Amino acid sequence: MIDLAQHMDQDYVPMKEVAQRQEISLKYLERIMPSLTKNNFVQGVIGQKGGYKLVRLPKEYTVKEILEVAEGSLALIACLECDQNPCSRKDTCKTLPMWKGAQKVIESYFDGITLQDLLDGTFD
């Protein structure tokens, strides 16, 4: 996503170029691009001049939403996964409140950083 933002002046950016510049596996990019496309983060075109480009401006993407689409849940423990069955011990678990608090901190942190912030290096 950062590479696509850095090359917004190009029409569509081939994933092979992104993989080379960022030293990321092309197979990894091929795995996450369908999710980013499906969630309307990027637009893709197949063919000679094909590739991907951002749908929105970099300031309109948060790191949290990018990570959730590209990598899945940010849950620290399985109990906090949205689609998991509730733990039978949730009502008596002494550590669950701690994990919930840590989860809120992480989500808030990533939600407060935009793709533009990463480009500009303006985040804490």
Side-chain angles (χ1 to χ4, degrees):
M1 294 290 289
I2 292 172
D3 194 281
L4 293 178
Q6 289 173 322
H7 295 91
M8 285 184 70
D9 59 330
Q10 290 179 248
D11 197 15
Y12 288 90
V13 180
M15 284 300 94
K16 184 176 180 180
E17 291 179 14
V18 174
Q20 289 172 343
R21 281 192 296 261
Q22 300 299 322
E23 299 179 13
I24 299 172
S25 161
L26 182 58
K27 288 190 182 285
Y28 169 72
L29 290 176
E30 290 170 343
R31 183 182 66 80
I32 65 171
M33 292 315 288
S35 294
L36 293 170
T37 303
K38 178 181 162 194
N39 286 280
N40 206 32
F41 282 39
V42 298
Q43 182 180 37
V45 170
I46 300 171
Q48 183 76 16
K49 295 190 180 203
Y52 293 89
K53 68 179 181 178
L54 297 179
V55 173
R56 300 180 271 170
L57 296 172
K59 68 180 182 179
E60 297 172 341
Y61 295 91
T62 67
V63 170
K64 178 181 178 277
E65 68 179 345
I66 294 168
L67 288 173
E68 287 175 338
V69 168
E71 302 296 334
S73 171
L74 298 178
L76 293 170
I77 58 172
C79 298
L80 299 177
E81 292 277 349
C82 292
D83 57 354
Q84 291 293 322
N85 292 327
C87 176
S88 62
R89 298 184 55 239
K90 73 177 171 103
D91 294 330
T92 59
C93 181
K94 298 295 184 190
T95 62
L96 186 57
M98 172 194 67
W99 290 115
K100 285 181 177 179
Q103 187 70 38
K104 283 181 188 175
V105 170
I106 288 171
E107 288 180 4
S108 176
Y109 177 73
F110 287 135
D111 203 34
I113 301 171
T114 67
L115 188 54
Q116 187 65 54
D117 294 332
L118 294 176
L119 290 171
D120 297 341
T122 56
F123 62 94
D124 296 333

